Amino acid sequence: MKALKALLDVLVFGYIIFTVLLLAGAIDENAILNTNTENEVLILYKGLVAVGGVVMLARVLMSSIYVADLQHENYRAELKINNLKAALYEKRQAFRSNSYKETYAEERQAEVA
């Protein structure tokens, strides 16, 4: 999950850099993408907007899923901690009750003797 999120972040970063370079004029869309007419350039930009929207939506969804996964792992860890605390409490209570009974029995024997 973490690797997929990192891969998607790299993809988004690359898309943003490509788009900024294209819009700034550092990359010539006619030379790289073989567009000749204004209509093809317009279609190219519409495609870039559509791809950008899909990539950004995927990134938001992946981030939400990643956060939900972390919250679920945290919840499971808290449950395990609570179970361990309960087991420790039960062991302490059993130890205290056994120790108390043994001490009480020793005192009774000392009184009889």
Side-chain angles (χ1 to χ4, degrees), residues 41-65:
V41 172
L42 184 62
I43 291 172
L44 168 71
Y45 286 128
K46 285 181 181 179
L48 282 175
V49 169
V51 168
V54 169
V55 168
M56 297 298 176
L57 181 64
R59 185 180 185 282
V60 168
L61 290 174
M62 182 56 67
S63 295
S64 298
I65 291 171

Side-chain angles (χ1 to χ4, degrees), residues 84-94 96:
L84 291 171
K85 283 181 181 179
L88 179 63
Y89 178 77
E90 290 173 359
K91 287 181 181 179
R92 283 184 179 173
Q93 291 294 31
R96 287 179 183 160

Side-chain angles (χ1 to χ4, degrees), residues 2-60:
K2 191 174 186 179
L4 186 60
K5 183 182 178 303
L7 179 68
L8 193 59
D9 287 342
V10 169
L11 180 68
V12 167
F13 187 69
Y15 171 79
I16 289 172
I17 289 190
F18 175 74
T19 304
V20 167
L21 289 175
L22 187 64
L23 292 175
I27 298 176
D28 186 24
E29 66 268 356
N30 294 333
I32 293 179
L33 302 172
N34 293 327
T35 57
N36 296 327
T37 64
E38 291 292 323
N39 192 24
E40 289 178 348
V41 172
L42 184 62
I43 291 172
L44 168 71
Y45 286 128
K46 285 181 181 179
L48 282 175
V49 169
V51 168
V54 169
V55 168
M56 297 298 176
L57 181 64
R59 185 180 185 282
V60 168

Side-chain angles (χ1 to χ4, degrees), residues 74-89:
N74 188 24
Y75 174 74
R76 292 186 69 200
E78 286 177 5
L79 283 179
K80 187 172 183 176
I81 288 170
N82 286 341
N83 288 339
L84 291 171
K85 283 181 181 179
L88 179 63
Y89 178 77

Side-chain angles (χ1 to χ4, degrees), residues 106-113:
E106 289 174 0
E107 288 177 3
R108 299 272 279 162
Q109 286 178 355
E111 289 177 2
V112 173

